[in-house]
């Protein structure tokens, strides 16, 4: 659409092993005034592996959330 600016979603990596907490976070994000794109890590080791790959590729996340 003309005049509509596309805003890139904030890239968020979340270390959370509890599926219900992941769902709550995703549901809460629908009410946010910004678009969020989540990647969930099972634990700290998984988070570090994801983060290492992203940084090496030149694509660091915008936000990291730790449980």
């Amino acid at each position: 659409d003309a005049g509509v600016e596309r805003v890139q979603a904030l890239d968020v990596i979340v270390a959370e092993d509890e599926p219900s907490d992941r769902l709550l976070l995703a549901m809460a994000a629908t009410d946010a005034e910004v678009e969020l794109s989540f990647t969930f890590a099972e634990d700290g080791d998984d988070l570090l592996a994801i983060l290492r790959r992203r940084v090496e590729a030149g694509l660091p996340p915008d936000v990291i959330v730790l449980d």
Side-chain angles (χ1 to χ4, degrees):
D1 293 313
V4 176
E5 183 179 334
R6 298 278 303 167
V7 176
Q8 185 173 354
L10 284 176
D11 183 22
V12 181
I13 298 177
V14 180
E16 177 57 67
D17 61 348
E18 183 62 44
S20 60
D21 289 343
R22 290 178 179 203
L23 177 60
L24 285 173
L25 182 59
M27 290 172 59
T30 62
D31 291 334
E33 294 187 16
V34 296
E35 189 174 341
L36 302 169
S37 174
F38 290 106
T39 299
F40 290 99
E42 288 290 323
D43 55 30
D45 291 333
D46 191 26
L47 172 78
L48 288 174
I50 293 168
L51 188 57
R52 190 172 293 117
R53 284 192 306 270
R54 295 274 188 92
V55 169
E56 287 173 357
L59 301 168
D62 297 306
V63 178
I64 299 172
V65 178
L66 304 175
D67 174 26

